[in-house]
Amino acid sequence: MQRLLALFALIFFSTSAFAQQPTLDDRAAIEAVRTQFAAAIQSKDLPALTALFYDGRIEWRGSLPPETRVEVSRMAGAPQPVVAATGAYQFLNDPQFAKISLQEDFGPLSLYGDGQMASATFNYAFFANGQMQNWGLENWQMVKTPDGWRILSLFFTATLANVSPMPDAHLSKPPAAQ
């Protein structure tokens, strides 16, 4: 039994010790996904956005920090959950938003992965008609497919700009540097 445990420990620790960092090609490919993502939001192209997700399934969740959650609860007239299935993709085909310009700006990318999966984290700011609506942190769990990198799930925080102004360095520093 001890030999089996020792062998397991050797395999586990040796493979995790040699886990790869994403290559420059992987980083460039993931940056390209972010560029395509921003373009799909801006052009309100839901099929293009959906194609960036694994199997075309949009897995997108958001969380509001406490101060924003209180304000959104007040505006909605109902308590808001800590985590909800929500995101900009819901506005792309909505006729009420047809004449509203949408834009998402990104900060530097923090990337961790092993060449098959990656966790991409970055700060963002979201704008409607040129006015910042919210800002926060975004994390994409990604998988490398034969067709390239795809988003498996997206999770973000959203602080309303009218509740708490975005810090000056938010889009110029990686998340860990703040």
Side-chain angles (χ1 to χ4, degrees):
M1 182 67 168
Q2 281 184 316
R3 279 188 175 166
L4 185 59
L5 288 174
L7 180 60
F8 174 76
L10 178 65
I11 292 169
F12 178 79
F13 290 115
S14 65
T15 57
S16 62
F18 295 109
Q20 301 172 342
Q21 286 295 312
T23 66
L24 291 177
D25 288 343
D26 287 335
R27 178 174 282 280
I30 289 170
E31 287 282 10
V33 172
R34 282 200 323 166
T35 299
Q36 294 165 357
F37 182 94
I41 295 287
Q42 191 166 15
S43 65
K44 298 184 185 130
D45 187 344
L46 187 57
L49 183 71
T50 302
L52 298 174
F53 284 79
Y54 181 72
D55 280 350
R57 283 182 273 172
I58 295 179
E59 296 290 334
W60 194 322
R61 303 279 185 275
S63 184
L64 304 174
E67 302 82 16
T68 293
R69 196 165 47 254
V70 166
E71 178 61 15
V72 172
S73 295
R74 185 191 66 73
M75 292 184 319
Q80 299 299 300
V82 173
V83 176
T86 186
Y89 70 95
Q90 295 171 317
F91 306 126
L92 301 186
N93 282 341
D94 189 330
Q96 294 179 29
F97 291 90
K99 295 186 181 195
I100 296 174
S101 67
L102 301 176
Q103 179 180 331
E104 185 170 0
D105 292 346
F106 303 125
L109 177 67
S110 292
L111 189 60
Y112 185 79
D114 66 2
Q116 180 57 37
M117 65 83 61
S119 180
T121 303
F122 47 90
N123 294 322
Y124 79 91
F126 186 78
F127 299 82
N129 285 338
Q131 296 273 120
M132 184 187 305
Q133 301 301 304
N134 61 71
W135 57 273
L137 183 68
E138 202 160 316
N139 177 265
W140 297 355
Q141 294 301 303
M142 301 185 75
V143 63
K144 192 173 195 177
T145 73
D147 297 321
W149 284 96
R150 296 293 181 262
I151 303 166
L152 187 60
S153 67
L154 183 158
F155 184 62
F156 72 102
T157 61
T159 298
L160 291 177
N162 65 342
V163 171
S164 181
M166 183 178 77
D168 290 338
H170 184 69
L171 293 179
S172 61
K173 291 184 179 179
Q178 295 199 16

